[in-house]
């Protein structure tokens, strides 16, 4: 056997071992969960519902202006939708916490080191969420563009200068940190679900929002 074959076999063995370890860890986490638990499934539904709700309502408003007519003001209508979104997000966090409380802990994460790592992620996520809010403003955060309340220019200040959609990913980091702090395999699985739902929301929202601002530019050029 030459060195090339030996290196290949060693690399293949290491890769296979690494894959087996990763699969084993995932199996351990998944085996901890009670997938039939009502609270856990409510959390799954709450996480999926929120972005679906605000995207459907915002697009309906953009096409019909029904909420603006109902409240006789696009600003008031947007504020009402923002209030509903905040309440839904509070319920989502509550259901996430309840699912972690009922489901068992993962012993490997139930230590001070994991707790402080989780706290670090929670603080980092909070920084991204709060700084995103200040960069976007109230109406930029709560879908004001769909109500005709448009921003003058694309936001490029921190944290948008280091990543796209920092509010969504900051929120995901919050849940990840929260799950680590509670040594919760249910929380980790729900965090993956949060990330997946946000990724889908970004794929839906991004092109539509860009089209709104393209229409704005066309209107400005015509004038």
């Amino acid at each position: 056997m030459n060195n090339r074959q030996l290196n290949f076999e060693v690399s293949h063995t290491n890769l296979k071992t690494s894959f087996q370890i990763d699969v084993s860890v995932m199996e351990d986490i998944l085996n901890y969960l009670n997938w039939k638990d009502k609270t856990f499934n409510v959390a799954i539904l709450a996480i999926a519902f929120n972005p679906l709700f605000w995207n459907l309502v915002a697009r309906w408003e953009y096409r019909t202006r029904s909420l603006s007519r109902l409240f006789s003001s696009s600003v008031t209508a947007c504020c009402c939708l923002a209030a509903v979104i905040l309440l839904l997000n509070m319920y989502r966090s509550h259901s996430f916490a309840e699912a972690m409380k009922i489901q068992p802990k993962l012993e490997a994460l139930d230590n001070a080191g994991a707790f402080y790592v989780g706290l670090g992620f929670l603080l980092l996520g909070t920084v991204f969420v709060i700084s995103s809010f200040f960069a976007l403003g109230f109406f930029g955060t709560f879908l004001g563009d769909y109500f005709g309340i448009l921003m003058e220019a694309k936001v490029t200040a921190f944290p948008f200068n280091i990543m796209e959609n920092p509010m969504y990913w900051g929120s995901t980091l919050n849940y990840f940190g929260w799950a680590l702090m509670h040594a919760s395999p249910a929380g980790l699985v729900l965090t993956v679900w949060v990330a997946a739902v946000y990724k889908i929301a970004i794929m839906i929202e991004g092109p539509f929002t860009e089209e709104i601002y393209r229409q704005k530019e066309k209107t400005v050029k015509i004038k």
Side-chain angles (χ1 to χ4, degrees):
M1 180 183 294
N2 59 37
N3 288 336
R4 193 172 184 179
Q5 288 174 317
L6 180 60
N7 289 336
F8 174 79
E9 290 192 7
V10 170
S11 299
H12 179 73
T13 302
N14 289 339
L15 179 62
K16 185 177 179 181
T17 302
S18 176
F19 177 75
Q20 287 174 339
I21 291 173
D22 290 343
V23 170
S24 176
V25 171
M26 283 302 299
E27 285 179 348
D28 287 343
I29 292 175
L30 295 178
N31 288 336
Y32 265 79
L33 300 181
N34 177 7
W35 293 91
K36 296 181 180 179
D37 176 62
K38 180 180 177 181
T39 306
F40 181 75
N41 286 290
V42 166
I44 290 175
L45 292 175
I47 290 167
F49 177 77
N50 286 14
L52 175 65
F53 168 79
W54 71 59
N55 271 289
L56 288 176
V57 172
R59 288 194 180 204
W60 173 62
E61 163 63 17
Y62 178 76
R63 293 192 173 101
T64 67
R65 293 289 183 254
S66 297
L67 291 177
S68 294
R69 288 199 300 270
L70 176 65
F71 291 99
S72 302
S73 166
S74 59
V75 171
T76 304
C78 185
C79 289
C80 289
L81 178 60
V84 174
I85 291 173
L86 287 172
L87 289 173
L88 287 173
N89 285 346
M90 289 172 61
Y91 180 75
R92 176 183 63 183
S93 295
H94 170 73
S95 64
F96 189 99
E98 289 299 305
M100 290 197 297
K101 187 186 301 182
I102 291 175
Q103 297 274 351
K105 290 188 175 184
L106 190 62
E107 292 181 9
L109 294 176
D110 196 10
N111 57 69
F115 178 88
Y116 286 112
V117 169
L119 180 60
F121 278 113
L122 181 64
L123 293 175
L124 180 61
T126 301
V127 168
F128 284 144
V129 170
I130 292 177
S131 58
S132 296
F133 177 80
F134 282 114
L136 290 170
F138 181 87
F139 295 108
T141 299
F142 291 106
L143 304 166
D145 354 58
Y146 292 75
F147 290 80
I149 309 169
L150 303 179
M151 304 185 73
E152 292 299 323
K154 184 177 180 179
V155 176
T156 56
F158 179 85
F160 291 88
N161 59 345
I162 61 173
M163 70 167 67
E164 294 286 336
N165 307 292
M167 184 167 285
Y168 282 164
W169 299 128
S171 177
T172 304
L173 286 176
N174 284 344
Y175 284 115
F176 180 60
W178 202 8
L180 286 178
M181 291 171 69
H182 288 80
S184 173
L188 293 174
V189 170
L190 289 174
T191 299
V192 172
W193 179 230
V194 168
V197 168
Y198 275 154
K199 181 63 177 178
I200 295 170
I202 290 167
M203 293 169 63
I204 294 171
E205 290 175 15
F208 197 85
T209 303
E210 289 174 5
E211 180 59 27
I212 290 175
Y213 282 91
R214 272 196 294 269
Q215 293 299 325
K216 175 193 173 185
E217 290 178 4
K218 287 181 182 179
T219 304
V220 171
K221 287 179 181 178
I222 290 173
K223 290 182 180 180

